[in-house]
């Protein structure tokens, strides 16, 4: 069994999708062993508690800078014996302290088709606001490996969703979560846990 540690900061609907997938046997040989939140008030913590999953708060505000926060995160992930680290709505950019220790073992879900609407400053609703401002007709979600470059690691899965003329950032966010994120994130986790992914030259190859 592979130990999956999920990092969260907010509502945790992607964490819920992973919990549901685990219950249905869709996480392959992985199981969620801990949830770590950067925010003590995140509803995601309640979801962990409701499902008897160990919940840890590593409050970003209690650390003076990213370096000390990243070191604490690395130490926690090591003591939790994480085989896979999943960013599920985790809003802090960790530095190479963590990315180096867990190279090709951390994945992130991002609510756009990378390389559009990604990188520093593009998170949560902001991503959908920018997509609507630009007038794109298609958006979607991406699951990728995490590297020190924000949203720049090898892409694992992507799924597109149509943008409607009367969309608000909220309606677009909801469609992309439901139709894209909640599907490709559990699938990518399953592929990882079943050893079906390999990375070469910044590209991910899937062997099913
Ligand atoms: C999700 O849409 C996720 O893709 C996004 O934040 C939302 C969190 O929702 N993540 C980012 O923007 C990271 N750059 P959730 O807490 O309900 O899963």
């Amino acid at each position: 069994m592979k130990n999956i540690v999920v990092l969260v900061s907010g509502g945790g609907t992607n964490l819920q999708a992973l919990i549901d997938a685990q219950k249905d046997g869709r996480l392959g040989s992985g199981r969620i062993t801990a949830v770590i939140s950067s925010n003590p008030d995140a509803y995601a913590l309640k979801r962990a508690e409701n499902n008897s999953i160990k919940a840890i708060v590593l409050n970003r505000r209690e650390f003076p800078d990213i370096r000390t926060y990243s070191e604490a995160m690395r130490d926690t992930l090591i003591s939790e014996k994480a085989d896979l680290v999943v960013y599920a709505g985790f809003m802090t950019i960790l530095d190479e302290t963590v990315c180096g220790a867990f190279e090709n073992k951390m994945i992130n879900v991002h609510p756009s088709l990378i390389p559009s609407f990604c990188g520093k400053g593009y998170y949560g609703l902001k991503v959908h606001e920018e997509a609507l401002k630009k007038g794109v007709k298609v958006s979607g979600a991406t699951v990728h490996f995490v590297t020190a470059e924000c949203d720049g690691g090898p892409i694992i899965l992507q799924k597109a969703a149509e943008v409607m003329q009367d969309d608000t950032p909220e309606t677009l966010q909801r469609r992309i979560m439901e139709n894209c994120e909640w599907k490709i994130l559990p699938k990518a986790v399953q592929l990882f846990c079943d050893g079906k992914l390999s990375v070469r030259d910044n590209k991910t190859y899937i062997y099913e």
Side-chain angles (χ1 to χ4, degrees), residues 8-29:
V8 296
S9 301
T13 63
N14 279 290
L15 167 65
Q16 191 64 53
L18 291 170
I19 293 171
D20 294 345
Q22 175 166 302
K23 284 185 183 157
D24 298 347
R26 285 183 286 116
L27 286 192
S29 53

Side-chain angles (χ1 to χ4, degrees), residues 43-60:
Y43 185 70
L45 288 165
K46 185 90 190 129
R47 295 182 194 269
E49 190 190 306
N50 290 345
N51 290 278
S52 309
I53 298 168
K54 181 173 182 183
I56 299 166
V57 175
L58 210 55
N59 189 347
R60 173 65 186 92

Side-chain angles (χ1 to χ4, degrees), residues 8-16 44 47 87-91 108-112 119 122-125 127-128 141-142 144 150-151 173 176-177 181-182 185:
V8 296
S9 301
T13 63
N14 279 290
L15 167 65
Q16 191 64 53
R47 295 182 194 269
Y87 287 39
F90 183 64
M91 300 305 185
N108 175 45
V109 60
H110 182 78
S112 74
Y122 284 94
Y123 58 87
L125 263 190
V127 177
H128 307 296
T142 302
H144 63 93
C150 179
D151 297 329
Q173 179 182 52
I176 288 175
M177 281 178 155
E181 297 184 45
W182 301 345
L185 183 61

Side-chain angles (χ1 to χ4, degrees), residues 28-43:
S29 53
R31 67 193 163 115
I32 306 164
T33 48
V35 169
I36 305 177
S37 178
S38 59
N39 163 15
D41 302 319
Y43 185 70

Side-chain angles (χ1 to χ4, degrees), residues 7-164:
L7 309 189
V8 296
S9 301
T13 63
N14 279 290
L15 167 65
Q16 191 64 53
L18 291 170
I19 293 171
D20 294 345
Q22 175 166 302
K23 284 185 183 157
D24 298 347
R26 285 183 286 116
L27 286 192
S29 53
R31 67 193 163 115
I32 306 164
T33 48
V35 169
I36 305 177
S37 178
S38 59
N39 163 15
D41 302 319
Y43 185 70
L45 288 165
K46 185 90 190 129
R47 295 182 194 269
E49 190 190 306
N50 290 345
N51 290 278
S52 309
I53 298 168
K54 181 173 182 183
I56 299 166
V57 175
L58 210 55
N59 189 347
R60 173 65 186 92
R61 288 166 194 263
E62 287 176 0
F63 293 81
D65 50 33
I66 283 293
R67 172 46 59 103
T68 51
Y69 188 73
S70 296
E71 284 169 359
M73 181 62 80
R74 178 201 55 203
D75 295 347
T76 309
L77 292 171
I78 290 171
S79 70
E80 289 303 318
K81 299 187 168 45
D83 296 307
L84 171 65
V85 181
V86 180
Y87 287 39
F90 183 64
M91 300 305 185
T92 300
I93 300 169
L94 300 170
D95 71 13
E96 66 285 351
T97 312
V98 186
C99 304
F102 288 88
E103 198 184 0
N104 293 338
K105 289 181 180 169
M106 298 206 289
I107 67 176
N108 175 45
V109 60
H110 182 78
S112 74
L113 294 173
I114 289 175
S116 289
F117 310 112
C118 64
K120 209 166 183 308
Y122 284 94
Y123 58 87
L125 263 190
K126 174 89 181 146
V127 177
H128 307 296
E129 282 165 12
E130 292 302 317
L132 290 178
K133 244 191 242 168
K134 183 66 192 173
V136 293
K137 305 301 183 199
V138 172
S139 189
T142 302
V143 178
H144 63 93
F145 282 106
V146 176
T147 60
E149 184 194 343
C150 179
D151 297 329
I155 291 169
I156 303 168
L157 294 173
Q158 292 188 299
K159 193 164 191 293
E162 210 177 325
V163 179
M164 306 296 184

